[in-house]
Amino acid sequence: MQRAENSIRHMQIQRSARQRHPLPCVPCFPPDVETEPVVKEYRIRSTTNSNDRPQQCTSMCCTTLQPPLEKLYARETAEARCATRRASPGRRMPFGLVTDSSADRTASFRYSPPAVSASEDPDGLKDTDSSDYSSPLRRPKSLLVEKTTSNGEIVYEYNSDQEVVDAYHKDLHKYQKKLARQQQLPTLKECNYARNITDWDNLNQKNAILDVAESVLRLSSSHDGKEINSCNGIIIEWDESDKSAIVLTSSQIIATKVSLDDWEDNNVYVPNAKVTAHLLDGTISDNLTLLYFSKHYEVAFFKLMGGSELQVASLEPKLEFGSEACVLAREKDLGLICRETKILALDPCDHQRNHYLFIGGSIPQSSTGGPLTDFNRKVVGMVVNALPNFAFIPSSIIITCFRLWQSFKKIARPHLGLKLRTVQFLDITHLEQLSRDFKIRDGLIVGQVSSESLAERNGFRTGDIIFSCQGETVLTISEFEGILLDICAKQFEEGKGLNDEVDVELGVYKLRKPARRRMVTLSVQLSDCMEAFDY
């Protein structure tokens, strides 16, 4: 009982002393320990039980996180006892600590800051970017000191010497600044792209994506001093003779207005816009020249001059629906965005282009112009933001467009006035009924016919199925668009130009009773404009 009364009396005396001489709350432990809100307690008994807990400090300075009390006690006990056993009056201790002479087991520490050389900054850090010198990162010694009371209890108190406290805070500031610099190292910097692929255990896949990423640039555009847009760019060709590269991107990079309905020819483009390439070495190049852009297919080709050799992406014309792929893009700071996705068997909405294919998952808007790549280092498409979905233009169409431009410096296609859907994308029950009743498993469904178009006048109706084009069986819209582009190439080779008429032969299965197949030839114009649709 007497001992308990003495303890209570001792705590009251200490509490009174703290009220007369308040001490600052200071962090005392490295950040790698599990933390909880700091407590302001100046006496920590070795016999503390679960009911004898320190009270929460209410001062405004208590915003630093501290470790649990048990860990604090364990570490400070070990440090203080070690220092007491080895210390002698005036003897220098590790980390610049010196001890005062004392008859009891109290270790009252005074911090002796290291000398600052002329080559260091005021915070004690080397003013150099060289990796030749790097002093170890040391957290300042705690202000807690161990003391033994007259009745044999070991208690811990904060050092109340204002000079020691000031020195501690000064050294803590140096520590925090150096820690912040250290955390900016490439190996320690925190990644801000939380939605990138996690738990990625296949290292071969990682290396494949890294190889493709070497061909992905960041592009930005402006006109009359005003920013227009920013997209990604893909290196698809390198010319060693003049050190130039061909960059593929979306035509949105030079678009000041984009219609919500792709079938309305309301987009506004600025071909003379200034386009800037943000290269992977951190440099910026304005040496980009617009070679060509297609309004209908939304692709643009630029020539980049004066750069070092750039990695060329490999475009793959074949793709597999349902397969896994990755969307790659670059942030403004060139940080790589890598999102895993799946190629969907999904048809476009009524306001979207026929040639769009779609991907699933959470894709950032900044991915426009970036590559959709498989895990075999092949680019299977270019991503475009096509609300409400994220679409991509398949590489088969991109390759054909690029070859057309290389050969004829223009890209055109026949305008048919048809919105199409894919038979194989239907629900399995619906598809099985078509197979059972009409022996149909593939082809293209006519979703809508443009009003007063040649197709409408030739009997095309919603619900008909196109099973061939120019005598070739068509399974997907991408194959159909490829045939239309091949028709254009043949006409150019024969000397025909834009706005000339070409014959397109279509095999049509009309399901209205009586169901029948027939061949229809449409004589339509070649055009390099966006195909508009009349409702």
Side-chain angles (χ1 to χ4, degrees):
M1 179 67 69
Q2 183 65 33
R3 181 173 181 178
E5 292 177 354
N6 290 341
S7 298
I8 295 174
R9 177 59 181 165
H10 195 72
M11 291 175 65
Q12 292 174 346
I13 293 173
Q14 291 292 332
R15 187 180 299 111
S16 176
R18 291 199 298 272
Q19 293 173 353
R20 292 193 302 270
H21 305 286
L23 294 176
C25 294
V26 291
C28 304
F29 278 80
D32 57 347
V33 184
E34 180 183 359
T35 60
E36 63 183 22
V38 67
V39 292
K40 190 170 183 178
E41 174 66 21
Y42 301 104
R43 291 176 54 80
I44 307 173
R45 291 182 174 82
S46 59
T47 58
T48 299
N49 56 40
S50 59
N51 297 322
D52 188 11
R53 293 294 184 185
Q55 296 180 353
Q56 178 70 38
C57 176
T58 58
S59 65
M60 295 299 294
C61 63
C62 289
T63 57
T64 311
L65 294 179
Q66 286 285 24
L69 186 59
E70 291 77 5
K71 294 184 179 181
L72 181 145
Y73 168 76
R75 172 173 172 175
E76 293 299 341
T77 300
E79 291 181 352
R81 287 180 176 174
C82 181
T84 303
R85 285 196 300 268
R86 293 183 298 180
S88 61
R91 179 181 175 184
R92 183 168 295 278
M93 300 299 293
F95 314 113
L97 292 173
V98 297
T99 61
D100 294 327
S101 58
S102 178
D104 57 14
R105 295 175 58 191
T106 302
S108 178
F109 298 119
R110 287 187 289 108
Y111 187 82
S112 176
V116 179
S117 65
S119 61
E120 295 177 350
D121 66 14
D123 295 312
L125 301 176
K126 275 278 184 175
D127 186 18
T128 176
D129 294 331
S130 172
S131 59
D132 296 337
Y133 175 89
S134 179
S135 60
L137 185 64
R138 297 283 189 269
R139 189 180 181 92
K141 207 69 171 177
S142 169
L143 291 175
L144 280 180
V145 293
E146 178 186 311
K147 187 175 181 179
T148 305
T149 63
S150 58
N151 59 2
E153 285 185 300
I154 298 177
V155 296
Y156 286 85
E157 299 178 346
Y158 277 111
N159 196 324
S160 60
D161 187 335
Q162 190 60 44
E163 180 181 350
V164 175
V165 173
D166 292 342
Y168 173 84
H169 281 290
K170 180 179 179 180
D171 293 333
L172 180 64
H173 178 66
K174 294 179 183 178
Y175 165 82
Q176 290 172 338
K177 289 195 67 175
K178 184 168 183 177
L179 179 63
R181 295 185 186 184
Q182 184 186 77
Q183 290 173 343
Q184 294 303 310
L185 291 173
T187 51
L188 303 179
K189 189 174 181 180
E190 182 179 357
C191 179
N192 295 322
Y193 310 110
R195 293 186 179 181
N196 281 350
I197 300 176
T198 57
D199 301 327
W200 204 351
D201 299 322
N202 191 319
L203 302 186
N204 290 331
Q205 289 184 354
K206 271 190 176 180
N207 287 326
I209 297 303
L210 289 174
D211 288 343
V212 177
E214 293 180 2
S215 63
V216 183
L217 309 178
R218 188 70 182 166
L219 305 178
S220 59
S221 60
S222 61
H223 182 64
D224 291 338
K226 296 181 180 180
E227 183 179 353
I228 298 178
N229 209 341
S230 61
C231 290
N232 299 277
I234 310 170
I235 306 297
I236 60 172
E237 188 173 276
W238 171 259
D239 190 340
E240 183 64 30
S241 60
D242 61 356
K243 303 295 183 182
S244 65
I246 303 297
V247 181
L248 164 70
T249 188
S250 168
S251 61
Q252 294 181 17
I253 190 67
I254 56 171
T256 57
K257 177 184 176 182
V258 178
S259 176
L260 294 178
D261 190 338
D262 293 337
W263 295 98
E264 294 179 357
D265 192 7
N266 294 331
N267 291 3
V268 178
Y269 297 95
V270 185
N272 60 341
K274 178 182 178 181
V275 179
T276 301
H278 304 262
L279 304 179
L280 301 188
D281 59 3
T283 60
I284 296 176
S285 175
D286 295 328
N287 296 324
L288 274 88
T289 303
L290 177 62
L291 300 176
Y292 192 86
F293 74 99
S294 170
K295 295 179 181 179
H296 183 83
Y297 288 114
E298 291 189 76
V299 297
F301 303 106
F302 286 85
K303 187 173 185 177
L304 174 62
M305 297 292 298
S308 56
E309 184 173 357
L310 300 173
Q311 183 71 29
V312 176
S314 176
L315 301 183
E316 174 56 56
K318 296 181 180 180
L319 59 84
E320 181 180 352
F321 291 100
S323 62
E324 301 292 331
C326 277
V327 173
L328 301 184
R330 299 229 173 250
E331 291 280 12
K332 291 183 179 180
D333 62 357
L334 297 181
L336 181 66
I337 299 174
C338 178
R339 303 287 176 85
E340 188 173 15
T341 186
K342 179 183 290 187
I343 300 176
L344 304 178
L346 182 67
D347 281 319
C349 298
D350 286 341
H351 67 276
Q352 295 173 328
R353 293 288 178 191
N354 285 335
H355 60 270
Y356 284 164
L357 295 179
F358 296 93
I359 50 180
S362 176
I363 309 299
Q365 292 186 2
S366 57
S367 299
T368 297
L372 178 68
T373 178
D374 60 19
F375 294 109
N376 295 316
R377 297 176 173 83
K378 302 294 184 181
V379 175
V380 297
M382 182 187 73
V383 178
V384 292
N385 184 7
L387 296 175
N389 313 104
F390 261 91
F392 70 95
I393 302 170
S395 290
S396 58
I397 292 179
I398 294 172
I399 292 172
T400 306
C401 287
F402 185 59
R403 289 174 179 170
L404 272 174
W405 173 80
Q406 284 182 313
S407 301
F408 309 105
K409 305 304 177 187
K410 52 190 173 184
I411 301 172
R413 65 186 291 279
H415 287 188
L416 302 179
L418 299 174
K419 291 184 180 181
L420 302 174
R421 303 293 180 263
T422 307
V423 170
Q424 291 183 337
F425 292 176
L426 293 174
D427 176 80
I428 186 64
T429 301
H430 195 173
L431 186 58
E432 191 274 337
Q433 184 178 357
L434 283 176
S435 175
R436 175 163 40 91
D437 295 343
F438 302 99
K439 308 303 180 185
I440 294 176
R441 291 190 176 184
D442 47 49
L444 306 179
I445 303 171
V446 177
Q448 198 167 351
V449 184
S450 182
S451 179
E452 302 298 327
S453 65
L454 186 62
E456 186 182 65
R457 294 196 296 268
N458 278 269
F460 280 82
R461 297 294 182 265
T462 300
D464 293 346
I465 295 178
I466 298 174
F467 59 84
S468 69
C469 181
Q470 303 298 88
E472 298 182 38
T473 301
V474 291
L475 304 179
T476 65
I477 297 177
S478 298
E479 293 178 357
F480 184 70
E481 290 288 340
I483 295 173
L484 295 182
L485 288 171
D486 288 340
I487 293 173
C488 174
K490 292 178 181 178
Q491 298 303 312
F492 286 163
E493 290 173 355
E494 295 175 0
K496 293 186 178 181
L498 297 175
N499 301 321
D500 286 345
E501 287 191 352
V502 296
D503 292 334
V504 180
E505 184 185 63
L506 300 175
V508 184
Y509 201 141
K510 303 186 73 66
L511 301 185
R512 290 172 175 80
K513 294 181 180 179
R516 63 191 185 280
R517 294 173 182 260
R518 69 189 186 102
M519 304 301 296
V520 179
T521 299
L522 301 179
S523 296
V524 294
Q525 288 184 335
L526 285 177
S527 176
D528 61 351
C529 297
M530 182 181 296
E531 182 174 2
F533 200 90
D534 294 327
Y535 297 93

